[in-house]
PDB file of all heavy atoms in Angstrom:
ATOM      1  N   ALA Q   1     -43.372  81.157  33.741  1.00 96.00           N
ATOM      2  CA  ALA Q   1     -43.208  81.846  32.409  1.00 96.00           C
ATOM      3  C   ALA Q   1     -43.014  83.331  32.492  1.00 96.00           C
ATOM      4  O   ALA Q   1     -42.871  83.968  31.500  1.00 96.00           O
ATOM      5  CB  ALA Q   1     -44.410  81.566  31.499  1.00 96.00           C
ATOM      6  N   SER Q   2     -43.024  83.833  33.679  1.00 96.00           N
ATOM      7  CA  SER Q   2     -42.925  85.294  33.841  1.00 96.00           C
ATOM      8  C   SER Q   2     -41.554  85.849  33.253  1.00 96.00           C
ATOM      9  O   SER Q   2     -41.554  86.866  32.548  1.00 96.00           O
ATOM     10  CB  SER Q   2     -43.001  85.719  35.328  1.00 96.00           C
ATOM     11  OG  SER Q   2     -44.390  85.404  35.867  1.00 96.00           O
ATOM     12  N   GLU Q   3     -40.561  85.314  33.556  1.00 97.00           N
ATOM     13  CA  GLU Q   3     -39.194  85.704  33.149  1.00 97.00           C
ATOM     14  C   GLU Q   3     -39.117  85.689  31.602  1.00 97.00           C
ATOM     15  O   GLU Q   3     -38.550  86.539  30.909  1.00 97.00           O
ATOM     16  CB  GLU Q   3     -37.989  84.846  33.732  1.00 97.00           C
ATOM     17  CG  GLU Q   3     -36.704  85.403  33.409  1.00 97.00           C
ATOM     18  CD  GLU Q   3     -35.532  84.624  34.119  1.00 97.00           C
ATOM     19  OE1 GLU Q   3     -35.917  83.994  35.137  1.00 97.00           O
ATOM     20  OE2 GLU Q   3     -34.464  84.742  33.709  1.00 97.00           O
ATOM     21  N   PHE Q   4     -39.679  84.557  31.048  1.00 96.00           N
ATOM     22  CA  PHE Q   4     -39.618  84.388  29.625  1.00 96.00           C
ATOM     23  C   PHE Q   4     -40.382  85.631  29.020  1.00 96.00           C
ATOM     24  O   PHE Q   4     -40.049  86.279  27.901  1.00 96.00           O
ATOM     25  CB  PHE Q   4     -40.326  83.188  29.244  1.00 96.00           C
ATOM     26  CG  PHE Q   4     -40.309  82.881  27.758  1.00 96.00           C
ATOM     27  CD1 PHE Q   4     -39.371  82.298  26.944  1.00 96.00           C
ATOM     28  CD2 PHE Q   4     -41.710  83.141  27.108  1.00 96.00           C
ATOM     29  CE1 PHE Q   4     -39.494  82.060  25.633  1.00 96.00           C
ATOM     30  CE2 PHE Q   4     -41.848  82.833  25.762  1.00 96.00           C
ATOM     31  CZ  PHE Q   4     -40.741  82.289  24.982  1.00 96.00           C
ATOM     32  N   SER Q   5     -41.579  85.928  29.512  1.00 97.00           N
ATOM     33  CA  SER Q   5     -42.481  87.022  28.962  1.00 97.00           C
ATOM     34  C   SER Q   5     -41.715  88.362  29.112  1.00 97.00           C
ATOM     35  O   SER Q   5     -41.837  89.182  28.296  1.00 97.00           O
ATOM     36  CB  SER Q   5     -43.743  87.016  29.668  1.00 97.00           C
ATOM     37  OG  SER Q   5     -44.588  88.032  29.259  1.00 97.00           O
ATOM     38  N   GLU Q   6     -41.149  88.595  30.300  1.00 97.00           N
ATOM     39  CA  GLU Q   6     -40.432  89.771  30.464  1.00 97.00           C
ATOM     40  C   GLU Q   6     -39.273  90.101  29.478  1.00 97.00           C
ATOM     41  O   GLU Q   6     -39.011  91.258  29.010  1.00 97.00           O
ATOM     42  CB  GLU Q   6     -39.859  89.923  31.899  1.00 97.00           C
ATOM     43  CG  GLU Q   6     -41.048  90.008  32.994  1.00 97.00           C
ATOM     44  CD  GLU Q   6     -40.418  89.785  34.399  1.00 97.00           C
ATOM     45  OE1 GLU Q   6     -39.123  89.508  34.498  1.00 97.00           O
ATOM     46  OE2 GLU Q   6     -41.279  89.727  35.329  1.00 97.00           O
ATOM     47  N   GLU Q   7     -38.629  88.980  29.082  1.00 98.00           N
ATOM     48  CA  GLU Q   7     -37.528  89.082  28.118  1.00 98.00           C
ATOM     49  C   GLU Q   7     -38.021  89.358  26.745  1.00 98.00           C
ATOM     50  O   GLU Q   7     -37.430  90.333  26.023  1.00 98.00           O
ATOM     51  CB  GLU Q   7     -36.783  87.681  28.095  1.00 98.00           C
ATOM     52  CG  GLU Q   7     -35.654  87.627  27.077  1.00 98.00           C
ATOM     53  CD  GLU Q   7     -34.444  88.473  27.490  1.00 98.00           C
ATOM     54  OE1 GLU Q   7     -34.480  89.125  28.679  1.00 98.00           O
ATOM     55  OE2 GLU Q   7     -33.484  88.601  26.709  1.00 98.00           O
ATOM     56  N   ILE Q   8     -39.165  88.967  26.370  1.00 98.00           N
ATOM     57  CA  ILE Q   8     -39.823  89.358  25.093  1.00 98.00           C
ATOM     58  C   ILE Q   8     -40.146  90.779  25.189  1.00 98.00           C
ATOM     59  O   ILE Q   8     -39.943  91.422  24.227  1.00 98.00           O
ATOM     60  CB  ILE Q   8     -40.948  88.394  24.771  1.00 98.00           C
ATOM     61  CG1 ILE Q   8     -40.444  86.931  24.550  1.00 98.00           C
ATOM     62  CG2 ILE Q   8     -41.715  88.861  23.542  1.00 98.00           C
ATOM     63  CD1 ILE Q   8     -41.641  86.027  24.413  1.00 98.00           C
ATOM     64  N   ALA Q   9     -40.652  91.196  26.224  1.00 98.00           N
ATOM     65  CA  ALA Q   9     -41.164  92.600  26.293  1.00 98.00           C
ATOM     66  C   ALA Q   9     -39.973  93.583  26.289  1.00 98.00           C
ATOM     67  O   ALA Q   9     -39.922  94.586  25.596  1.00 98.00           O
ATOM     68  CB  ALA Q   9     -41.816  92.831  27.675  1.00 98.00           C
ATOM     69  N   ARG Q  10     -38.818  93.139  26.847  1.00 98.00           N
ATOM     70  CA  ARG Q  10     -37.608  93.956  26.786  1.00 98.00           C
ATOM     71  C   ARG Q  10     -37.034  94.028  25.416  1.00 98.00           C
ATOM     72  O   ARG Q  10     -36.598  95.006  24.909  1.00 98.00           O
ATOM     73  CB  ARG Q  10     -36.512  93.281  27.698  1.00 98.00           C
ATOM     74  CG  ARG Q  10     -35.249  94.117  27.808  1.00 98.00           C
ATOM     75  CD  ARG Q  10     -34.126  93.414  28.559  1.00 98.00           C
ATOM     76  NE  ARG Q  10     -33.669  92.176  27.793  1.00 98.00           N
ATOM     77  CZ  ARG Q  10     -32.907  92.227  26.779  1.00 98.00           C
ATOM     78  NH1 ARG Q  10     -32.513  93.376  26.323  1.00 98.00           N
ATOM     79  NH2 ARG Q  10     -32.606  91.173  26.160  1.00 98.00           N
ATOM     80  N   MET Q  11     -37.106  92.763  24.685  1.00 98.00           N
ATOM     81  CA  MET Q  11     -36.513  92.744  23.396  1.00 98.00           C
ATOM     82  C   MET Q  11     -37.254  93.538  22.373  1.00 98.00           C
ATOM     83  O   MET Q  11     -36.722  94.074  21.439  1.00 98.00           O
ATOM     84  CB  MET Q  11     -36.311  91.303  22.968  1.00 98.00           C
ATOM     85  CG  MET Q  11     -35.306  90.494  23.719  1.00 98.00           C
ATOM     86  SD  MET Q  11     -35.188  88.818  23.400  1.00 98.00           S
ATOM     87  CE  MET Q  11     -34.605  88.849  21.696  1.00 98.00           C
ATOM     88  N   THR Q  12     -38.537  93.573  22.524  1.00 98.00           N
ATOM     89  CA  THR Q  12     -39.434  94.282  21.478  1.00 98.00           C
ATOM     90  C   THR Q  12     -39.819  95.623  21.821  1.00 98.00           C
ATOM     91  O   THR Q  12     -40.177  96.510  21.074  1.00 98.00           O
ATOM     92  CB  THR Q  12     -40.767  93.410  21.405  1.00 98.00           C
ATOM     93  OG1 THR Q  12     -41.407  93.384  22.688  1.00 98.00           O
ATOM     94  CG2 THR Q  12     -40.481  91.978  20.904  1.00 98.00           C
ATOM     95  N   GLY Q  13     -39.744  95.931  23.104  1.00 98.00           N
ATOM     96  CA  GLY Q  13     -40.080  97.292  23.642  1.00 98.00           C
ATOM     97  C   GLY Q  13     -41.603  97.442  23.655  1.00 98.00           C
ATOM     98  O   GLY Q  13     -42.155  98.475  23.811  1.00 98.00           O
ATOM     99  N   LEU Q  14     -42.393  96.312  23.584  1.00 98.00           N
ATOM    100  CA  LEU Q  14     -43.834  96.337  23.678  1.00 98.00           C
ATOM    101  C   LEU Q  14     -44.345  95.941  25.054  1.00 98.00           C
ATOM    102  O   LEU Q  14     -43.652  95.111  25.749  1.00 98.00           O
ATOM    103  CB  LEU Q  14     -44.332  95.327  22.650  1.00 98.00           C
ATOM    104  CG  LEU Q  14     -44.142  95.657  21.173  1.00 98.00           C
ATOM    105  CD1 LEU Q  14     -44.546  94.501  20.315  1.00 98.00           C
ATOM    106  CD2 LEU Q  14     -44.827  96.852  20.760  1.00 98.00           C
ATOM    107  N   PRO Q  15     -45.441  96.437  25.411  1.00 98.00           N
ATOM    108  CA  PRO Q  15     -45.995  96.175  26.750  1.00 98.00           C
ATOM    109  C   PRO Q  15     -46.722  94.814  26.734  1.00 98.00           C
ATOM    110  O   PRO Q  15     -47.204  94.304  25.633  1.00 98.00           O
ATOM    111  CB  PRO Q  15     -47.072  97.212  26.972  1.00 98.00           C
ATOM    112  CG  PRO Q  15     -47.511  97.685  25.629  1.00 98.00           C
ATOM    113  CD  PRO Q  15     -46.311  97.493  24.828  1.00 98.00           C
ATOM    114  N   VAL Q  16     -46.664  94.025  27.845  1.00 98.00           N
ATOM    115  CA  VAL Q  16     -47.476  92.840  28.054  1.00 98.00           C
ATOM    116  C   VAL Q  16     -48.875  93.483  28.432  1.00 98.00           C
ATOM    117  O   VAL Q  16     -49.070  93.840  29.641  1.00 98.00           O
ATOM    118  CB  VAL Q  16     -46.913  91.930  29.050  1.00 98.00           C
ATOM    119  CG1 VAL Q  16     -47.832  90.706  29.261  1.00 98.00           C
ATOM    120  CG2 VAL Q  16     -45.551  91.534  28.706  1.00 98.00           C
ATOM    121  N   VAL Q  17     -49.859  93.322  27.510  1.00 97.00           N
ATOM    122  CA  VAL Q  17     -51.187  93.872  27.882  1.00 97.00           C
ATOM    123  C   VAL Q  17     -51.898  93.164  28.872  1.00 97.00           C
ATOM    124  O   VAL Q  17     -52.527  93.678  29.700  1.00 97.00           O
ATOM    125  CB  VAL Q  17     -51.944  93.864  26.464  1.00 97.00           C
ATOM    126  CG1 VAL Q  17     -53.368  94.499  26.706  1.00 97.00           C
ATOM    127  CG2 VAL Q  17     -51.273  94.872  25.473  1.00 97.00           C
ATOM    128  N   PHE Q  18     -51.806  91.844  28.731  1.00 97.00           N
ATOM    129  CA  PHE Q  18     -52.306  90.992  29.784  1.00 97.00           C
ATOM    130  C   PHE Q  18     -51.744  89.545  29.708  1.00 97.00           C
ATOM    131  O   PHE Q  18     -51.089  89.224  28.743  1.00 97.00           O
ATOM    132  CB  PHE Q  18     -53.915  90.858  29.860  1.00 97.00           C
ATOM    133  CG  PHE Q  18     -54.510  90.380  28.552  1.00 97.00           C
ATOM    134  CD1 PHE Q  18     -54.592  89.073  28.253  1.00 97.00           C
ATOM    135  CD2 PHE Q  18     -54.890  91.333  27.543  1.00 97.00           C
ATOM    136  CE1 PHE Q  18     -55.153  88.642  27.046  1.00 97.00           C
ATOM    137  CE2 PHE Q  18     -55.455  90.881  26.341  1.00 97.00           C
ATOM    138  CZ  PHE Q  18     -55.532  89.560  26.121  1.00 97.00           C
ATOM    139  N   ARG Q  19     -51.928  88.817  30.803  1.00 98.00           N
ATOM    140  CA  ARG Q  19     -51.458  87.414  30.860  1.00 98.00           C
ATOM    141  C   ARG Q  19     -52.794  86.528  30.939  1.00 98.00           C
ATOM    142  O   ARG Q  19     -53.712  86.844  31.628  1.00 98.00           O
ATOM    143  CB  ARG Q  19     -50.609  87.151  32.146  1.00 98.00           C
ATOM    144  CG  ARG Q  19     -50.209  85.711  32.281  1.00 98.00           C
ATOM    145  CD  ARG Q  19     -49.278  85.505  33.433  1.00 98.00           C
ATOM    146  NE  ARG Q  19     -50.082  85.769  34.757  1.00 98.00           N
ATOM    147  CZ  ARG Q  19     -49.589  85.607  35.952  1.00 98.00           C
ATOM    148  NH1 ARG Q  19     -48.230  85.184  36.023  1.00 98.00           N
ATOM    149  NH2 ARG Q  19     -50.268  85.786  37.023  1.00 98.00           N
ATOM    150  N   CYS Q  20     -52.836  85.501  30.122  1.00 97.00           N
ATOM    151  CA  CYS Q  20     -53.939  84.607  30.194  1.00 97.00           C
ATOM    152  C   CYS Q  20     -53.757  83.470  31.312  1.00 97.00           C
ATOM    153  O   CYS Q  20     -52.671  83.002  31.451  1.00 97.00           O
ATOM    154  CB  CYS Q  20     -54.089  83.887  28.870  1.00 97.00           C
ATOM    155  SG  CYS Q  20     -54.475  84.828  27.461  1.00 97.00           S
ATOM    156  N   ILE Q  21     -54.798  83.259  31.993  1.00 97.00           N
ATOM    157  CA  ILE Q  21     -54.838  82.157  33.045  1.00 97.00           C
ATOM    158  C   ILE Q  21     -56.026  81.321  32.764  1.00 97.00           C
ATOM    159  O   ILE Q  21     -57.063  81.812  32.432  1.00 97.00           O
ATOM    160  CB  ILE Q  21     -54.645  82.691  34.420  1.00 97.00           C
ATOM    161  CG1 ILE Q  21     -55.889  83.554  34.786  1.00 97.00           C
ATOM    162  CG2 ILE Q  21     -53.357  83.494  34.650  1.00 97.00           C
ATOM    163  CD1 ILE Q  21     -55.986  83.844  36.294  1.00 97.00           C
ATOM    164  N   PRO Q  22     -55.996  80.104  33.211  1.00 94.00           N
ATOM    165  CA  PRO Q  22     -57.229  79.319  33.167  1.00 94.00           C
ATOM    166  C   PRO Q  22     -58.175  79.901  34.191  1.00 94.00           C
ATOM    167  O   PRO Q  22     -57.883  80.497  35.166  1.00 94.00           O
ATOM    168  CB  PRO Q  22     -56.819  77.950  33.741  1.00 94.00           C
ATOM    169  CG  PRO Q  22     -55.236  77.901  33.422  1.00 94.00           C
ATOM    170  CD  PRO Q  22     -54.816  79.248  33.626  1.00 94.00           C
ATOM    171  N   GLU Q  23     -59.594  79.832  33.907  1.00 94.00           N
ATOM    172  CA  GLU Q  23     -60.555  80.448  34.706  1.00 94.00           C
ATOM    173  C   GLU Q  23     -60.685  79.761  36.116  1.00 94.00           C
ATOM    174  O   GLU Q  23     -61.231  80.310  36.968  1.00 94.00           O
ATOM    175  CB  GLU Q  23     -61.912  80.296  33.960  1.00 94.00           C
ATOM    176  CG  GLU Q  23     -62.418  78.795  33.725  1.00 94.00           C
ATOM    177  CD  GLU Q  23     -63.736  78.795  33.209  1.00 94.00           C
ATOM    178  OE1 GLU Q  23     -64.570  79.721  33.225  1.00 94.00           O
ATOM    179  OE2 GLU Q  23     -64.143  77.683  32.624  1.00 94.00           O
ATOM    180  N   THR Q  24     -59.987  78.665  36.177  1.00 93.00           N
ATOM    181  CA  THR Q  24     -59.953  77.920  37.399  1.00 93.00           C
ATOM    182  C   THR Q  24     -58.995  78.531  38.478  1.00 93.00           C
ATOM    183  O   THR Q  24     -59.020  78.184  39.696  1.00 93.00           O
ATOM    184  CB  THR Q  24     -59.667  76.368  37.268  1.00 93.00           C
ATOM    185  OG1 THR Q  24     -58.479  76.283  36.547  1.00 93.00           O
ATOM    186  CG2 THR Q  24     -60.721  75.681  36.534  1.00 93.00           C
ATOM    187  N   LEU Q  25     -58.068  79.361  38.056  1.00 95.00           N
ATOM    188  CA  LEU Q  25     -57.031  80.027  38.908  1.00 95.00           C
ATOM    189  C   LEU Q  25     -57.508  81.391  39.351  1.00 95.00           C
ATOM    190  O   LEU Q  25     -58.401  82.090  38.626  1.00 95.00           O
ATOM    191  CB  LEU Q  25     -55.800  80.130  38.178  1.00 95.00           C
ATOM    192  CG  LEU Q  25     -55.061  78.831  37.708  1.00 95.00           C
ATOM    193  CD1 LEU Q  25     -53.800  79.050  37.075  1.00 95.00           C
ATOM    194  CD2 LEU Q  25     -54.900  77.865  38.979  1.00 95.00           C
ATOM    195  N   THR Q  26     -56.995  81.833  40.452  1.00 94.00           N
ATOM    196  CA  THR Q  26     -57.327  83.133  40.921  1.00 94.00           C
ATOM    197  C   THR Q  26     -56.424  84.295  40.265  1.00 94.00           C
ATOM    198  O   THR Q  26     -55.283  84.160  40.171  1.00 94.00           O
ATOM    199  CB  THR Q  26     -57.069  83.245  42.484  1.00 94.00           C
ATOM    200  OG1 THR Q  26     -57.724  82.266  43.164  1.00 94.00           O
ATOM    201  CG2 THR Q  26     -57.440  84.670  43.085  1.00 94.00           C
ATOM    202  N   PRO Q  27     -57.244  85.165  39.564  1.00 95.00           N
ATOM    203  CA  PRO Q  27     -56.393  86.144  38.789  1.00 95.00           C
ATOM    204  C   PRO Q  27     -55.682  87.129  39.660  1.00 95.00           C
ATOM    205  O   PRO Q  27     -56.258  87.600  40.743  1.00 95.00           O
ATOM    206  CB  PRO Q  27     -57.513  86.740  38.017  1.00 95.00           C
ATOM    207  CG  PRO Q  27     -58.806  86.653  38.756  1.00 95.00           C
ATOM    208  CD  PRO Q  27     -58.680  85.328  39.502  1.00 95.00           C
ATOM    209  N   SER Q  28     -54.565  87.605  39.237  1.00 93.00           N
ATOM    210  CA  SER Q  28     -53.883  88.713  39.813  1.00 93.00           C
ATOM    211  C   SER Q  28     -54.099  89.898  38.927  1.00 93.00           C
ATOM    212  O   SER Q  28     -54.761  89.755  37.840  1.00 93.00           O
ATOM    213  CB  SER Q  28     -52.307  88.476  39.739  1.00 93.00           C
ATOM    214  OG  SER Q  28     -52.038  87.284  40.557  1.00 93.00           O
TER     215      SER Q  28
END
């Protein structure tokens, strides 16, 4: 979903404050 998210950020000019992940995954 990273490319999709980057496109929305580009179109809106807004920052992606954070990405949600399940607690079972290792966070970046």
Side-chain angles (χ1 to χ4, degrees):
S2 296
E3 185 175 342
F4 178 83
S5 182
E6 290 167 3
E7 180 68 4
I8 293 171
R10 185 191 65 78
M11 293 174 66
T12 61
L14 293 171
V16 179
V17 178
F18 57 84
R19 178 179 68 176
C20 297
I21 63 167
E23 62 175 343
T24 53
L25 299 181
T26 302
S28 301

